[in-house]
């Protein structure tokens, strides 16, 4: 944990330096002063709608495991975002599995499997958006390279999950061989966790869920793009709608890099790079990133803290939760 925290802090410091080096701080302050704060209201509204849409989509992914109500799914989702914003090591998704498992009496391994599937879906959407940007924008060459890497990794991961469901009996036999060197009690625990994980992938074998999951994924990402667009309007940046798509793509790619909590540094650098493609001054871009980051941080963090408090969950309990 300490090594991950140190790596994240160093990474964030590096990207903050790259984003802020050589900027005119008086221009930075002027950009903040010129912000039309009223436009941040719809930016926050779309951001929260996007987060809530994730909880609705999760309901379809969770259905083969257990029919859960929206409230516990939304509560777990908000708590997970809060944890990612306040704690190191990107524990949010593990915490989400822990919280929903605790509240709905569901195996945490099965819950975590549904989250892995969700991430695969999100990366496929990200790939499509990244491809769209590379076709329409003359951006850095590494954007196209990133798309190639993501396609290979995500397709391989999807087929691995599909194979685990398709050949479940063979997968069980494989797990039995892998855990054989461990003590008997550990063997049972690892085998049960692996079996529960596969049961959480039931949506893979349920084609009828594909359409609502796809439509809700469009809503999730559409809301994220709309949130960026309203922040651009707030900063009087008259850019094409495609700029919002590009920024979401770059911010999402940056979120894959180890960083301090709340993606500090990587988000700022992504905004500076993205807006720089459109000729926006670095000081204006950094000011934009600060305000946009606030719209992403405070509303969902406060919401997550509320649900953690109302559920009698403490941060220590969340960080000590284990898949079982």
């Amino acid at each position: 944990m300490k090594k991950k925290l140190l790596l994240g802090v160093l990474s964030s410091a590096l990207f903050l330096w790259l984003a802020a080096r050589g900027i005119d701080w008086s221009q930075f302050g002027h950009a903040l002063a010129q912000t039309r704060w009223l436009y941040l209201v719809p930016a926050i509204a779309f951001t929260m709608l996007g987060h809530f849409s994730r909880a609705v989509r999760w309901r379809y992914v969770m259905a083969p495991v257990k029919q859960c109500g929206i409230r516990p799914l939304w509560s777990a989702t908000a708590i997970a975002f809060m944890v990612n914003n306040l704690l190191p090591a990107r524990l949010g998704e593990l915490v989400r599995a822990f919280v929903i498992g605790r509240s709905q009496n569901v195996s945490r391994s099965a819950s975590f499997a549904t989250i892995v599937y969700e991430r695969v879906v999100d990366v496929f959407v990200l790939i499509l958006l990244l491809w769209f940007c590379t076709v329409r924008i003359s951006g850095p060459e590494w954007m196209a390279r990133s798309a190639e890497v993501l396609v290979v990794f995500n397709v391989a991961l999807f087929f691995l999950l599909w194979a685990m469901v398709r050949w479940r009996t063979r997968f069980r036999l494989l797990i039995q061989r892998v855990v054989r060197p461990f003590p008997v009690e550990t063997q049972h625990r690892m085998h049960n966790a692996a079996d529960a994980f596969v049961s959480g992938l039931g949506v893979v074998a349920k084609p009828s869920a594909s359409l609502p999951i796809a439509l809700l994924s469009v809503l999730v990402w559409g809301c994220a793009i709309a949130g960026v667009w309203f922040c651009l309007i707030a900063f009087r940046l008259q850019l094409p709608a495609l700029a919002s798509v590009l920024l979401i793509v770059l911010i999402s790619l940056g979120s894959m890099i180890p960083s301090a909590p709340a993606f500090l540094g990587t988000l700022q650098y992504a905004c500076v790079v993205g807006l720089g493609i459109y000729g926006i001054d670095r000081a204006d871009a950094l000011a934009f990133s600060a305000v946009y980051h606030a719209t992403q941080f405070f509303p969902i963090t406060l919401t997550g803290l509320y649900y953690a408090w109302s559920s009698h969950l403490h941060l220590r309990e969340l960080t000590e939760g284990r898949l079982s």
Side-chain angles (χ1 to χ4, degrees):
M1 178 71 75
K2 291 182 179 180
K3 290 182 179 179
K4 288 183 178 180
L5 175 60
L6 178 61
L7 176 61
V9 169
L10 292 176
S11 174
S12 287
L14 172 63
F15 282 103
L16 277 175
W17 176 76
L18 290 173
R21 60 176 178 167
I23 74 163
D24 182 345
W25 289 104
S26 62
Q27 176 61 27
F28 174 87
H30 177 73
L32 289 178
Q34 294 298 310
T35 303
R36 296 184 287 185
W37 302 102
L38 186 61
Y39 283 98
L40 298 182
V41 174
I44 292 171
F46 274 109
T47 296
M48 295 302 290
L49 177 60
H51 293 327
F52 185 77
S53 300
R54 288 185 179 276
V56 177
R57 183 183 64 177
W58 193 19
R59 188 180 189 184
Y60 286 93
V61 180
M62 278 284 292
V65 180
K66 184 176 182 178
Q67 293 286 348
C68 299
I70 289 297
R71 180 179 172 82
L73 294 170
W74 167 233
S75 172
T77 300
I79 291 172
F81 275 106
M82 175 270 291
V83 167
N84 273 343
N85 284 341
L86 297 181
L87 299 177
R90 306 282 176 83
L91 296 172
E93 302 299 23
L94 289 174
V95 166
R96 183 149 67 112
F98 167 76
V99 171
I100 199 66
R102 179 179 182 268
S103 67
Q104 298 297 293
N105 193 28
V106 177
S107 164
R108 295 163 197 170
S109 294
S111 301
F112 185 66
T114 66
I115 296 170
V116 172
Y117 178 81
E118 270 194 322
R119 284 293 161 262
V120 171
V121 172
D122 279 331
V123 173
F124 276 129
V125 177
L126 176 60
I127 290 169
L128 289 174
L129 295 176
L130 181 54
W131 170 81
F132 184 71
C133 288
T134 55
V135 170
R136 300 292 299 274
I137 302 172
S138 179
E141 185 179 347
W142 57 261
M143 283 179 56
R145 299 298 181 201
S146 298
E148 295 171 0
V149 172
L150 286 176
V151 167
V152 172
F153 174 80
N154 215 50
V155 169
L157 179 56
F158 175 79
F159 277 109
L160 174 62
L161 298 179
W162 176 83
M164 290 167 66
V165 175
R166 176 66 177 79
W167 292 292
R168 186 169 182 172
T169 302
R170 295 183 182 181
F171 178 71
R172 285 172 174 167
L173 293 174
L174 175 62
I175 293 299
Q176 288 176 359
R177 293 176 183 175
V178 171
V179 303
R180 194 170 294 164
F182 296 94
V184 175
E185 184 178 348
T186 304
Q187 287 184 36
H188 287 308
R189 188 165 60 250
M190 294 174 68
H191 186 272
N192 290 339
D195 200 48
F197 183 89
V198 177
S199 70
L201 298 173
V203 69
V204 175
K206 191 178 179 183
S208 61
S210 299
L211 180 59
I213 289 173
L215 292 176
L216 285 165
S217 296
V218 171
L219 180 59
V220 166
W221 286 84
C223 287
I225 293 168
V228 172
W229 187 66
F230 275 105
C231 283
L232 291 173
I233 294 176
F235 269 79
R236 308 173 191 271
L237 297 176
Q238 298 180 354
L239 298 176
L242 185 60
S244 302
V245 180
L246 175 64
L247 285 173
I248 280 296
V249 166
L250 293 178
I251 291 168
S252 299
L253 291 175
S255 70
M256 299 178 184
I257 301 172
S259 68
F263 312 108
L264 182 65
T266 57
L267 185 147
Q268 280 68 36
Y269 185 65
C271 290
V272 170
V273 170
L275 292 175
I277 292 174
Y278 290 94
I280 302 301
D281 183 82
R282 292 173 63 88
D284 292 337
L286 187 62
F288 167 86
S289 74
V291 173
Y292 171 74
H293 202 176
T295 67
Q296 304 301 297
F297 180 87
F298 289 106
I300 192 62
T301 300
L302 292 174
T303 304
L305 285 170
Y306 165 75
Y307 279 115
W309 171 79
S310 63
S311 302
H312 307 290
L313 289 169
H314 302 285
L315 290 181
R316 173 173 292 187
E317 184 179 4
L318 293 175
T319 57
E320 291 178 353
R322 293 290 183 266
L323 291 177
S324 61

